[in-house]
Each structure stands twice: as structure tokens, then as C-alpha cells.
Amino acid sequence: MGSSEPLKVTFSSPAKYWTDAIPIGNGRLGAMVWGGVAAETIQLNEDTLWTGAPGNYTDPDAPKALAQVRNLVHEAQFVQATQASAGLFGGPTQVYQPLGDIKLQFDGSHLNDGAYSRELDLDTATARVQYTVGGVEFSREHFASNPDQIIATNISASSPGSVSFTVSLDCALPDHRIHINNDHKNQIVLIGSCSGQQPGSTGIQFAAVLELEISAGNGVVSRLDDDDNGLRVEGADWAVLLLSASSSFQGPFTNPANSTRNPTSLALLALQEVAKLSYSDLWSRHVDDYQSLFHRVSLQLWTSAAAEADDRAVAVRTAAERIRSFQEDQDPAFVELLFQFGRYLLISSSRPGTQVSNLQGIWNPDVKPAWDCAPHLNINLEMNYWPSLPCNLRECEEPLFDHIQALSISGSQTAKVNYEASGWVVHHVSDLWAKSSAYERDARWAIWPMGGAWLCTHLWEYYTYTMDKDFLQKTAYPLLKGCASFLVDWLIKGPQGYLETNPSTSPEHLFVAPDGKQASVSYSSTMDMAIIKEIFSALVSAAEVLNMTEDPFVQNVGEIQSKLSPTKTAKDGSIMEWALDFEDPEVQHRHLSHLFGLFPGHTITIEKNPDLCKAAEKTLYKRGENGPGWSTTWKIACWARLRNSEQAYKMVKHLIQPVDPDKTTIDFEGGLYSNLFTAHPPFQIDANFGFTAAVAEMLVQSTMLDLYLLPALPREKWPNGSVKGLKVRGGLTVDVSWREGDLHEVGVWQENDGQEINLVKKMLHYRGRTTEATISSRTVYTFDVGFKLVEEI
């Protein structure tokens, strides 16, 4: 059965706000399509356009400050420790910059007098705008091609000779210039630079080239009379615009002043390489590449069995209308759309060889964006990649591993100088230049040397989903070992005999110290210890796979595991957030840091410690429903891990509410913009990815040994449906279908990689029923609701 509504994000008018525009991207280049009629804006980004240059992320005075802070914490002077921790602060991050705009201007009579539609087709990653002027139907089509590294626009009309407009480039950065290419009169060239590390220093150089082609026979292209940076098209049947862009960025450790890359030459080369391809060829190559990823997973939800066979045409509703009506109709087809939109955004913002998907993916119109668009490591960057493995987009996670590798290099210097420790460390925020030192201004976020460790949990997770032993040996294990080396040195013996972290914070949160004043610095926050347990467990497990358990360091880590402070419950029955049962001045704080062990971690599970799960449930109720989008989707995932479908769905419903686009100040209410971007507000992309991952968690959960089917399915809301292509730990792929709230069939298989047959044993679980299945790498196994094998092919 197909979706009750197509996988399209639809609009009935041009964008009024940036968050009404349609995002397209190829991982490196991004664009926002506004869809204006008389005037169109296509806002552009390139993922390496950042201010600054490689920095020095060390402070030789930090060890003295660290000793002072530790002594104050040891003496329970937490307010003073919080104040003294300013000696451990670092500097700000650099800032992600916009590339520019493509401007299309039609004549004054070009006003829509008929139907208008604008849509993003998730199935083909194509944006389309259609409208009517004087009985002539005009169409614009936009896509961002990964195989050909260009952004393409096709403008056409139903009547020959009707396409007339001017096109130009614009740029918000102060240092830029625009000209017509003297060697190619149909090319507009934008050249510019981002701000350097210091005033007057060299920053990243960039170039964009826009090439114009029109129909043969009909139409004329000329240069604008009053400007040298625009072109005029008159009387064409169609026009195609191709945009390429490049920068001088040559890696996080090369100063822009020393770069050997020529952005203009590289941008021109990209256009030369597609010169013999037609627009149709470019689109086909783009779609083939995109669908090879997107089509791996399908999700279909419907409310009744009768709806499965209902082929009635469904009236097309705009995305904004569907958001507004969701509290009433709770349309499951909209959940499908939002789930797949998250996968679309990940494919569009993170591909092998690109930078990591930042706080806004790759889409940003502002020279001074919120939070600098910098990757934040205390939830946001990790959440960006939560769907990559379960939702069958493993390739999209490669930029994260590249970033971790860079962070380990700069972070080794920070560990050595700032903390006199081995290994490597990263704090709560980074940037293009692999910033590893602490941030500035406030201990609540700055004093948190666990960013690298949280990132490293993704390395082990990648292995558990893919069983890629080569990746484990060459990439994951060295990074895990370096991370664990820092953590071993960071731990010190605490007042109760456990190994503790000191100083320690629970990200961005305060507590009330015994003297009644608020502080943020103490020791052994629950999140610190949960992350360390995950890393140490991953290291030991990886060593077992690689036959390295005799390594003295691995053996030492194994011994240390029993010396880590346990997760504790507070007097009110919730999970303690800090080592001491401090009063919480903001009970409904947005972060769920002390629930890391529940999700995305694995130290709190229903099977291993049900009492802690009850405490986690109490914690979620205590935190409440409100919060920014990423907090909401984290809560969905946590409720799913607790297999509480009612509360998980309640948070799904809580997310799908409209956001006022006029509101530009920072708030904590979440919701969706009309283009389905998630809100903090303002826009942060993490919740888009978090939602996709959380829905997958509601439908399928796994360990290396177990597969839990429909563990948090809201049976009354999604009584019928199917999900195909989800990945689970152990290297398996799963299809699941259900009818009237009950499991119908489950298909399980290993991808056939052409190597020798491999057997995987898996315990299948569904509503108290359990069976053991042996899965061969060359066979698809289908089981019914009673786990009877009904097909083997």
C-alpha cells in the first residue's frame, strides 16, 4: 500500500519567511527555494564557508586552575568551584557563513493569475514551483546533485517563447565581487572571502559560478545594461541554470593563507565536467544517486484495514495545514512524511567527503546565525546522526567519523596541556577547525570534557549495526582507545572510594548548593559516569572482537569499570542528576542528561535493571512535556526505550504544532515551521533527525542478541502499517507489518556481501513471546505473529 498522501511537502504560495522556503542539498551545497512569482530567491550555502582559521586550543595555565577547582569541589564549596572554573574556559567557536543568493527577476506584468503550487518531492529530492500568468503555465524545477556537485534549476513554460527574466548573484558577506566571465559570456562569477582569525588576516576564499543555458532557436541572452553582474533572457522556451561552488578550505589544520586550492578554477571545472550532459541527464543521475539511499526504508501507517484498499484521491493539503490540523486529525500519513523528511535532510546535508551536518544542517541565511551554527556536542551533533544506522543511511555518518578523527588530533593537545592527560578530549562545542577546548562565559556548558566521549559511542554503534571489522580495527578502535586513555587519566578517587570526575557538570543545568546558592560544578554527574561506562564497555567489547584483550590498557579499563560510581535514585524516586541529591531549581529543564544511560546509552534497560527504569520513568514525568524540539524527540526515544507507547506518542503529538515564524528570539517551546524544519526556536535541525530516529525506536529495538518488535507501537493511533528496511544490531535488516494493532509478519535478513555464509543467532521478542532464529547471510526469513517460519527465500 502507498501512503495515504504522497511524500511531498506542499505549499500554496511563495515563501514569506526563510522557514517557508524549500531546502535542497547534496551534502556540500545547499539551497533554499522561496518560489516567488515576479521575483525569486534561491539562497545558497557551501559547507566549508566558516570564519576563522586553525586555532590554538591549549592553555598552559589550565592545570593550576584545575587543581584549584578540584580542591574547592573536594571541600564541597560548589559555588566557589563554579566561579573558579572560569580559569578553564576557552574561546568562542567560529561562525558558519552563507554563500549568497541567486536572484531571478521577471517583468512587472509577470503576476500569478491562476493556480499556484510549490512542493518538495521527497521521492526524487526535487523542488517544483508551478503557476499561471496570462493563461501560460510556468514551471521551475530545482535539485542539488551529489554525483555532479551542482545545483540545477530548469525554468519552462507551456507556450513557446514565454520565458523571459533577469538573473544575478548576490552575497551578504562584505568581502566579495561579482562579474561576468569574459571567457564564457553566459557565466556569472561570485568571488569572496570569509573573515579571518584576526582583522586583516586571510580567511577562507570561495567562488560560485552560475551558468545559463537557454533553448536553441528561441530566445536571446544579453548582459544587463546597468550592471555587469547579471544576465537577461528574452523569449526563450526554457532556461537552465547550473550553480557550482568551491572554497579554499584544505582541512582543519591548514591555514587559509597557506591553501593551494583555487576556488574559481574548481567551480569552473565542475561545470566543465557536466558540459555534455543535458538537464534530463543531470536529473536522472541525481535521482538514481539519491534513491539508492532514500528507497532503502519505507514507512506506511494507516488507521483502518479498509484504508489500505482505499484508492480515492486525497485532496492535497499544504504542510502548514497538516501541522495545524494534527492535534485534531492526528494524521498518521503526516508522521510518515515527517519521518522520511528527516532521512531526506540527512542525505541532503551529510555525504561522504562533506563536513558534518551542523546545527542547521547546511542551510543558513545569516552572517551571524543563532549559536554560530556550530556543532554542539552535548546533544545536538549526536542527535543529527541518530537515524543514520537504524534508518539505513550508514554512508551519511562518514563525515562524523572524519570530524571525530580531526577532533582527536586537536584534542590530544588540549588533553596534554590543559589537563596533563594522555589521549584526547573535546568539550561541548566545535567548528570547522576542530575546536577541542572549552567554550567561554559560563561553566554550565563550558566545563564539560565529555563531548569527544559521547561522539565515540557512535563508533562502536557503527560496528554493531554493520559488523564492519575493518572499520572497527582501523578507525573505531584507535579513536576509542585514545578517548578512553583520557578518561582513565581524568578519573580521580572520590570521597566514597569510587573513581570520580571532578570537575563535573550536568550540561547547561544548575543545582542548589548546600548554602542555598545556585552552582553548576560538582563531581561525577550521572551523565559523565554513564558516558564513561559506555566508552569503557565499548573498548573492552571491541578488544574482544579484535583479539586484543591481553593489552594491559584494556585489562586496566576492565578493572576500572567496577570502580565507577553507580547510577543512583533520588529521594523522590527519580534518577539523580548529580552525585549528591541536590535541589533542582529548574525541574523541567530541557536537557535529559541523566537519562543518557536509557537513551542513547545502554546501561539502563528493562531487562537488566527494571528499578532504574521505574526511576527513569519518574524522571521523564518530572521533566514534563515542554522543551525545544530536540528535547521533545529525545523524550520520545526515552519513552520508547521504556516501551511506553502512550507517552511516546504523546510527545510525537507535542512536537507537531505550528511555530510562529515571526518569533526570532530564543525560546524553548519546540514545534514545526511550515517547511517542516523543527524549532528550538529558532530553527535547529537536530529534532528533525531525532524524530526520525525516535519513530524507528518505537517500531524496532535491538541489541547484539535481541530483536524487539513493535516495542512502543501506539496501537490505537497507528493500528495498521508496515516498515521496511530498518537496520538492527548484528548486521541485520528488518521488515515489519502489523494489522489492527498486532504483529502480522516480520522479515529478517543479512545483506549478502558476496563473502562466505555467516550465521547470526537472534532472539525475537514480541509482547512476551520469544523465539531464537538463526539468520543466514543469503536467506530472507519471514515469521508470522507466533514466530512460525512462513517463508524462507
Side-chain angles (χ1 to χ4, degrees):
M1 174 201 162
S3 296
S4 56
E5 295 192 34
L7 290 175
K8 294 182 178 182
V9 185
T10 58
F11 308 83
S12 60
S13 61
K16 181 180 178 182
Y17 301 92
W18 187 80
T19 48
D20 299 329
I22 293 174
I24 59 174
N26 66 9
R28 184 178 67 87
L29 298 174
M32 296 290 286
V33 179
W34 287 61
V37 175
E40 167 68 295
T41 297
I42 305 168
Q43 185 263 314
L44 305 169
N45 288 103
E46 200 273 356
D47 71 349
T48 62
L49 267 57
W50 285 74
T51 62
N56 176 12
Y57 306 123
T58 65
D59 180 2
D61 295 327
K64 182 179 179 181
L66 176 61
Q68 180 188 12
V69 173
R70 281 181 163 172
N71 285 334
L72 289 167
V73 169
H74 182 70
E75 296 168 359
Q77 297 185 47
F78 302 119
V79 174
Q80 294 85 343
T82 301
Q83 295 167 347
S85 68
L88 297 172
F89 290 177
T93 57
Q94 297 300 324
V95 185
Y96 184 50
Q97 301 287 272
L99 171 60
D101 298 322
I102 299 174
K103 298 284 192 180
L104 303 178
Q105 189 70 45
F106 298 83
D107 63 44
S109 62
H110 197 84
L111 301 175
N112 182 36
D113 55 13
Y116 175 97
S117 68
R118 181 166 57 97
E119 68 178 27
L120 170 61
D121 182 356
L122 297 186
D123 190 60
T124 61
T126 304
R128 296 184 180 92
V129 180
Q130 294 179 312
Y131 57 90
T132 302
V133 176
V136 178
E137 296 180 2
F138 289 86
S139 298
R140 302 185 204 139
E141 192 172 75
H142 313 263
F143 64 88
S145 167
N146 179 267
D148 293 310
Q149 289 298 301
I150 51 94
I151 293 173
T153 294
N154 182 39
I155 305 172
S156 61
S158 61
S159 178
S162 297
V163 175
S164 300
F165 63 93
T166 63
V167 57
S168 61
L169 290 176
D170 196 7
C171 181
L173 300 182
D175 186 4
H176 77 271
R177 58 190 184 279
I178 301 170
H179 65 276
I180 302 297
N181 187 356
N182 291 328
D183 298 323
H184 193 309
K185 300 300 184 182
N186 283 15
Q187 287 182 343
I188 307 172
V189 180
L190 162 64
I191 299 173
S193 67
C194 302
S195 301
Q197 190 82 325
Q198 304 293 335
S201 63
T202 301
I204 289 177
Q205 311 294 299
F206 63 86
V209 181
L210 182 66
E211 183 171 301
L212 171 65
E213 179 187 359
I214 66 168
S215 51
N218 268 359
V220 176
V221 177
S222 60
R223 190 166 172 166
L224 294 180
D225 296 333
D226 58 349
D227 207 332
D228 65 353
N229 69 355
L231 297 171
R232 176 182 288 111
V233 175
E234 293 182 347
D237 297 342
W238 53 262
V240 170
L241 303 171
L242 302 180
L243 186 285
S244 65
S246 189
S247 84
S248 62
F249 178 70
Q250 206 163 356
F253 307 113
T254 299
N255 194 296
N258 300 325
S259 174
T260 59
R261 288 171 56 89
N262 185 319
T264 305
S265 297
L266 292 169
L268 289 169
L269 179 61
L271 290 173
Q272 292 170 14
E273 290 179 344
V274 301
K276 294 182 180 180
L277 297 175
S278 67
Y279 176 82
S280 179
D281 292 335
L282 290 169
W283 188 77
S284 295
R285 286 161 59 87
H286 153 71
V287 171
D288 287 347
D289 167 75
Y290 170 77
Q291 289 184 343
S292 70
L293 297 170
F294 188 74
H295 279 180
R296 292 176 183 174
V297 172
S298 67
L299 173 65
Q300 296 165 358
L301 304 172
W302 60 98
T303 54
S304 68
E308 182 178 8
D310 191 353
D311 293 325
R312 293 173 300 174
V314 179
V316 175
R317 295 182 294 160
T318 67
E321 290 169 340
R322 297 177 75 177
I323 295 168
R324 286 194 297 268
S325 67
F326 189 83
Q327 298 302 309
E328 295 298 326
D329 61 36
Q330 299 180 51
D331 179 13
F334 186 77
V335 175
E336 297 174 26
L337 182 69
L338 192 58
F339 170 86
Q340 292 287 23
F341 184 63
R343 295 183 69 246
Y344 164 82
L345 290 176
L346 188 57
I347 296 169
S348 302
S349 65
S350 185
R351 292 288 199 102
T354 72
Q355 304 306 306
V356 288
S357 179
N358 65 45
L359 207 59
Q360 294 182 185
I362 52 173
W363 298 278
N364 165 44
D366 300 317
V367 175
K368 295 181 179 180
W371 300 286
D372 302 330
C373 271
H376 283 56
L377 280 55
N378 61 8
I379 176 58
N380 316 94
L381 179 58
E382 291 87 357
M383 185 178 282
N384 282 8
Y385 289 93
W386 282 357
S388 60
L389 296 173
C391 297
N392 214 334
L393 296 173
R394 59 186 283 185
E395 299 90 336
C396 294
E397 199 165 15
E398 289 186 26
L400 180 66
F401 302 143
D402 293 340
H403 190 56
I404 295 172
Q405 186 68 56
L407 290 170
S408 74
I409 296 172
S410 56
S412 65
Q413 292 301 307
T414 305
K416 180 179 179 180
V417 176
N418 291 31
Y419 302 123
E420 298 178 332
S422 60
W424 62 276
V425 63
V426 183
H427 295 76
H428 101 285
V429 65
S430 188
D431 57 23
L432 182 75
W433 307 110
K435 172 181 165 58
S436 53
S437 58
Y439 196 61
E440 58 181 1
R441 294 202 312 266
D442 197 312
R444 279 178 291 179
W445 47 73
I447 308 304
W448 192 73
M450 293 289 141
W454 190 346
L455 288 179
C456 278
T457 64
H458 285 249
L459 298 166
W460 175 244
E461 289 281 32
Y462 186 87
Y463 170 75
T464 66
Y465 274 91
T466 65
M467 307 304 290
D468 186 340
K469 192 172 179 179
D470 189 61
F471 169 84
L472 182 65
Q473 183 173 19
K474 295 179 181 178
T475 301
Y477 189 79
L479 291 168
L480 278 167
K481 188 173 182 181
C483 173
S485 296
F486 170 78
L487 295 175
V488 168
D489 288 352
W490 181 245
L491 290 165
I492 59 177
K493 191 171 183 178
Q496 298 176 335
Y498 292 111
L499 292 177
E500 310 279 9
T501 57
N502 175 8
S504 175
T505 61
S506 189
E508 304 189 23
H509 202 9
L510 294 164
F511 58 84
V512 179
D515 62 4
K517 297 180 180 178
Q518 292 187 2
S520 58
V521 173
S522 62
Y523 67 94
S524 294
S525 70
T526 300
M527 180 179 233
D528 277 11
M529 305 317 297
I531 291 175
I532 292 171
K533 290 170 187 175
E534 292 284 337
I535 291 298
F536 286 177
S537 175
L539 181 81
V540 171
S541 297
E544 291 173 354
V545 174
L546 299 174
N547 296 316
M548 300 176 70
T549 54
E550 298 303 313
D551 181 342
F553 179 77
V554 174
Q555 293 181 344
N556 183 39
V557 167
E559 293 172 2
I560 287 175
Q561 285 179 294
S562 63
K563 300 175 183 178
L564 300 175
S565 58
T567 302
K568 295 174 284 189
T569 55
K571 55 181 176 289
D572 67 358
S574 64
I575 298 287
M576 279 175 55
E577 189 163 356
W578 300 273
L580 301 175
D581 197 1
F582 295 121
E583 179 187 344
D584 187 342
E586 188 182 356
V587 173
Q588 296 190 340
H589 191 267
R590 58 196 176 276
H591 280 261
L592 307 177
S593 304
H594 45 324
L595 293 183
F596 176 93
L598 176 65
F599 190 93
H602 307 281
T603 54
I604 300 176
T605 71
I606 289 176
E607 288 72 27
K608 289 190 298 187
N609 34 32
D611 289 345
L612 284 181
C613 287
K614 291 179 180 178
E617 182 177 277
K618 173 74 173 179
T619 304
L620 283 168
Y621 282 121
K622 185 176 173 181
R623 271 299 197 251
E625 298 177 10
N626 295 327
W630 56 260
S631 180
T632 302
T633 58
W634 195 354
K635 290 169 185 172
I636 299 171
C638 284
W639 282 118
R641 278 278 170 93
L642 292 172
R643 298 172 199 164
N644 189 323
S645 60
E646 180 181 353
Q647 290 299 320
Y649 182 78
K650 192 174 184 180
M651 297 311 301
V652 167
K653 189 178 176 183
H654 187 77
L655 179 72
I656 305 174
Q657 301 189 67
V659 178
D660 181 0
D662 276 318
K663 195 170 189 176
T664 58
T665 55
I666 295 173
D667 209 333
F668 305 96
E669 58 192 21
L672 299 178
Y673 293 102
S674 71
N675 66 356
L676 304 193
F677 274 168
T678 51
H680 191 287
F683 163 54
Q684 279 187 198
I685 203 168
D686 37 29
N688 284 113
F689 300 132
F691 180 82
T692 300
V695 169
E697 197 74 16
M698 294 170 72
L699 301 177
V700 174
Q701 294 175 25
S702 66
T703 70
M704 291 292 281
L705 300 175
D706 302 283
L707 174 57
Y708 299 94
L709 303 169
L710 308 179
L713 175 71
R715 289 176 168 78
E716 293 184 0
K717 304 300 182 181
W718 307 338
N720 302 281
S722 69
V723 62
K724 297 180 179 180
L726 290 182
K727 289 289 188 178
V728 297
R729 294 172 180 87
L732 303 180
T733 309
V734 177
D735 293 348
V736 185
S737 63
W738 61 97
R739 298 290 184 273
E740 302 303 330
D742 205 6
L743 177 68
H744 177 60
E745 282 187 344
V746 55
V748 187
W749 71 95
Q750 293 185 65
E751 296 292 342
N752 185 357
D753 56 9
Q755 300 178 5
E756 64 183 39
I757 295 177
N758 184 35
L759 299 178
V760 174
K761 291 186 181 294
K762 208 76 168 178
M763 298 300 297
L764 308 184
H765 302 268
Y766 175 68
R767 301 183 77 174
R769 294 194 289 274
T770 300
T771 193
E772 183 179 67
T774 300
I775 310 299
S776 168
S777 59
R778 297 181 183 175
T779 306
V780 178
Y781 301 85
T782 302
F783 303 88
D784 65 13
V785 64
F787 291 142
K788 178 183 177 182
L789 183 63
V790 296
E791 189 174 52
E792 182 177 340
I793 57 174

mmCIF file of all heavy atoms in Angstrom, residues 2 25 30 62 68 217 266 275 317 377 390 396 459 489 523 566 598 619 621 627 652 686:
data_model
loop_
_atom_site.group_PDB
_atom_site.id
_atom_site.type_symbol
_atom_site.label_atom_id
_atom_site.label_comp_id
_atom_site.label_asym_id
_atom_site.label_seq_id
_atom_site.Cartn_x
_atom_site.Cartn_y
_atom_site.Cartn_z
ATOM 1 N N GLY A 2 0.485 2.242 -0.761
ATOM 2 C CA GLY A 2 1.198 3.503 -0.742
ATOM 3 C C GLY A 2 0.701 4.379 0.381
ATOM 4 O O GLY A 2 -0.313 4.121 1.014
ATOM 5 N N GLY A 25 19.729 19.950 -1.085
ATOM 6 C CA GLY A 25 21.150 19.870 -0.787
ATOM 7 C C GLY A 25 21.765 18.596 -1.323
ATOM 8 O O GLY A 25 21.071 17.592 -1.536
ATOM 9 N N GLY A 30 23.973 23.609 -0.410
ATOM 10 C CA GLY A 30 22.576 23.678 -0.005
ATOM 11 C C GLY A 30 21.905 24.885 -0.609
ATOM 12 O O GLY A 30 22.556 25.882 -0.948
ATOM 13 N N ALA A 62 45.856 26.277 32.563
ATOM 14 C CA ALA A 62 44.689 25.491 32.951
ATOM 15 C C ALA A 62 44.967 24.490 34.071
ATOM 16 O O ALA A 62 44.116 24.315 34.960
ATOM 17 C CB ALA A 62 44.110 24.775 31.727
ATOM 18 N N GLN A 68 42.806 24.054 41.537
ATOM 19 C CA GLN A 68 42.022 24.892 42.432
ATOM 20 C C GLN A 68 40.558 24.459 42.450
ATOM 21 O O GLN A 68 39.936 24.332 43.518
ATOM 22 C CB GLN A 68 42.130 26.360 42.004
ATOM 23 C CG GLN A 68 41.326 27.307 42.893
ATOM 24 C CD GLN A 68 41.287 28.729 42.348
ATOM 25 O OE1 GLN A 68 41.669 28.977 41.203
ATOM 26 N NE2 GLN A 68 40.813 29.669 43.168
ATOM 27 N N GLY A 217 17.342 28.117 -30.820
ATOM 28 C CA GLY A 217 16.375 28.646 -31.778
ATOM 29 C C GLY A 217 15.560 29.786 -31.227
ATOM 30 O O GLY A 217 15.501 30.870 -31.823
ATOM 31 N N LEU A 266 38.178 25.480 -9.449
ATOM 32 C CA LEU A 266 37.443 24.276 -9.079
ATOM 33 C C LEU A 266 35.957 24.395 -9.427
ATOM 34 O O LEU A 266 35.342 23.423 -9.878
ATOM 35 C CB LEU A 266 37.620 24.012 -7.586
ATOM 36 C CG LEU A 266 39.034 23.605 -7.155
ATOM 37 C CD1 LEU A 266 39.153 23.627 -5.632
ATOM 38 C CD2 LEU A 266 39.385 22.225 -7.693
ATOM 39 N N ALA A 275 29.361 19.584 -18.893
ATOM 40 C CA ALA A 275 29.000 20.368 -20.081
ATOM 41 C C ALA A 275 28.270 19.539 -21.136
ATOM 42 O O ALA A 275 27.422 20.057 -21.865
ATOM 43 C CB ALA A 275 30.263 20.996 -20.691
ATOM 44 N N ARG A 317 -3.137 18.813 0.751
ATOM 45 C CA ARG A 317 -3.132 19.824 1.796
ATOM 46 C C ARG A 317 -1.720 20.347 1.962
ATOM 47 O O ARG A 317 -0.746 19.618 1.819
ATOM 48 C CB ARG A 317 -3.621 19.235 3.123
ATOM 49 C CG ARG A 317 -5.072 18.788 3.105
ATOM 50 C CD ARG A 317 -5.465 18.260 4.472
ATOM 51 N NE ARG A 317 -4.732 17.038 4.799
ATOM 52 C CZ ARG A 317 -4.587 16.574 6.034
ATOM 53 N NH1 ARG A 317 -5.079 17.249 7.066
ATOM 54 N NH2 ARG A 317 -3.920 15.451 6.258
ATOM 55 N N LEU A 377 28.092 19.424 21.048
ATOM 56 C CA LEU A 377 28.371 18.024 21.324
ATOM 57 C C LEU A 377 27.686 17.504 22.583
ATOM 58 O O LEU A 377 27.893 16.349 22.963
ATOM 59 C CB LEU A 377 29.885 17.805 21.441
ATOM 60 C CG LEU A 377 30.683 17.695 20.131
ATOM 61 C CD1 LEU A 377 30.480 18.868 19.203
ATOM 62 C CD2 LEU A 377 32.168 17.529 20.438
ATOM 63 N N PRO A 390 19.981 3.014 12.259
ATOM 64 C CA PRO A 390 18.715 2.267 12.190
ATOM 65 C C PRO A 390 17.914 2.549 10.930
ATOM 66 O O PRO A 390 17.188 1.667 10.452
ATOM 67 C CB PRO A 390 17.958 2.741 13.446
ATOM 68 C CG PRO A 390 18.577 4.035 13.830
ATOM 69 C CD PRO A 390 20.017 3.914 13.426
ATOM 70 N N CYS A 396 25.971 8.148 5.303
ATOM 71 C CA CYS A 396 25.795 9.540 5.708
ATOM 72 C C CYS A 396 26.505 9.856 7.015
ATOM 73 O O CYS A 396 26.661 11.031 7.364
ATOM 74 C CB CYS A 396 24.301 9.869 5.832
ATOM 75 S SG CYS A 396 23.418 9.807 4.255
ATOM 76 N N LEU A 459 31.039 5.334 17.212
ATOM 77 C CA LEU A 459 31.986 4.436 16.552
ATOM 78 C C LEU A 459 31.633 2.980 16.833
ATOM 79 O O LEU A 459 31.601 2.139 15.923
ATOM 80 C CB LEU A 459 33.402 4.735 17.032
ATOM 81 C CG LEU A 459 33.947 6.133 16.721
ATOM 82 C CD1 LEU A 459 35.208 6.407 17.531
ATOM 83 C CD2 LEU A 459 34.236 6.275 15.232
ATOM 84 N N ASP A 489 42.791 8.868 32.777
ATOM 85 C CA ASP A 489 43.591 9.887 33.464
ATOM 86 C C ASP A 489 42.716 10.935 34.143
ATOM 87 O O ASP A 489 43.119 11.524 35.153
ATOM 88 C CB ASP A 489 44.530 10.573 32.466
ATOM 89 C CG ASP A 489 45.671 9.669 32.033
ATOM 90 O OD1 ASP A 489 45.820 8.576 32.613
ATOM 91 O OD2 ASP A 489 46.410 10.059 31.098
ATOM 92 N N TYR A 523 30.915 17.077 41.251
ATOM 93 C CA TYR A 523 31.681 15.928 40.791
ATOM 94 C C TYR A 523 30.740 14.822 40.313
ATOM 95 O O TYR A 523 29.601 14.703 40.761
ATOM 96 C CB TYR A 523 32.623 15.402 41.886
ATOM 97 C CG TYR A 523 31.935 14.793 43.087
ATOM 98 C CD1 TYR A 523 31.705 13.423 43.173
ATOM 99 C CD2 TYR A 523 31.517 15.590 44.154
ATOM 100 C CE1 TYR A 523 31.069 12.863 44.274
ATOM 101 C CE2 TYR A 523 30.889 15.044 45.264
ATOM 102 C CZ TYR A 523 30.668 13.681 45.311
ATOM 103 O OH TYR A 523 30.033 13.128 46.405
ATOM 104 N N PRO A 566 27.902 4.080 40.778
ATOM 105 C CA PRO A 566 26.681 3.585 40.132
ATOM 106 C C PRO A 566 25.656 4.700 39.927
ATOM 107 O O PRO A 566 25.723 5.756 40.554
ATOM 108 C CB PRO A 566 26.168 2.545 41.126
ATOM 109 C CG PRO A 566 26.640 3.059 42.459
ATOM 110 C CD PRO A 566 27.985 3.695 42.198
ATOM 111 N N LEU A 598 19.712 5.507 29.555
ATOM 112 C CA LEU A 598 18.495 4.922 28.984
ATOM 113 C C LEU A 598 18.504 5.055 27.474
ATOM 114 O O LEU A 598 18.265 4.092 26.738
ATOM 115 C CB LEU A 598 17.267 5.603 29.582
ATOM 116 C CG LEU A 598 15.906 5.183 29.017
ATOM 117 C CD1 LEU A 598 15.617 3.721 29.337
ATOM 118 C CD2 LEU A 598 14.802 6.090 29.571
ATOM 119 N N THR A 619 11.578 10.269 36.271
ATOM 120 C CA THR A 619 12.364 11.419 35.811
ATOM 121 C C THR A 619 11.715 12.093 34.619
ATOM 122 O O THR A 619 11.646 13.330 34.543
ATOM 123 C CB THR A 619 13.784 10.960 35.439
ATOM 124 O OG1 THR A 619 14.374 10.293 36.556
ATOM 125 C CG2 THR A 619 14.652 12.134 35.030
ATOM 126 N N TYR A 621 8.494 12.030 33.755
ATOM 127 C CA TYR A 621 7.293 12.744 34.202
ATOM 128 C C TYR A 621 7.684 14.052 34.893
ATOM 129 O O TYR A 621 7.037 15.096 34.714
ATOM 130 C CB TYR A 621 6.477 11.873 35.160
ATOM 131 C CG TYR A 621 5.644 10.815 34.475
ATOM 132 C CD1 TYR A 621 5.824 9.468 34.761
ATOM 133 C CD2 TYR A 621 4.665 11.181 33.550
ATOM 134 C CE1 TYR A 621 5.047 8.495 34.140
ATOM 135 C CE2 TYR A 621 3.886 10.212 32.926
ATOM 136 C CZ TYR A 621 4.087 8.880 33.220
ATOM 137 O OH TYR A 621 3.320 7.915 32.601
ATOM 138 N N GLY A 627 9.592 21.898 26.051
ATOM 139 C CA GLY A 627 11.010 21.999 25.754
ATOM 140 C C GLY A 627 11.220 22.225 24.270
ATOM 141 O O GLY A 627 10.285 22.120 23.462
ATOM 142 N N VAL A 652 5.170 12.719 20.444
ATOM 143 C CA VAL A 652 5.054 12.894 18.987
ATOM 144 C C VAL A 652 4.047 13.992 18.692
ATOM 145 O O VAL A 652 4.293 14.923 17.909
ATOM 146 C CB VAL A 652 4.624 11.573 18.301
ATOM 147 C CG1 VAL A 652 4.200 11.829 16.857
ATOM 148 C CG2 VAL A 652 5.741 10.540 18.360
ATOM 149 N N ASP A 686 18.404 19.401 14.584
ATOM 150 C CA ASP A 686 18.581 18.162 15.336
ATOM 151 C C ASP A 686 17.276 17.420 15.592
ATOM 152 O O ASP A 686 17.226 16.185 15.515
ATOM 153 C CB ASP A 686 19.305 18.432 16.661
ATOM 154 C CG ASP A 686 18.891 19.741 17.304
ATOM 155 O OD1 ASP A 686 17.733 20.179 17.101
ATOM 156 O OD2 ASP A 686 19.721 20.355 17.995
#
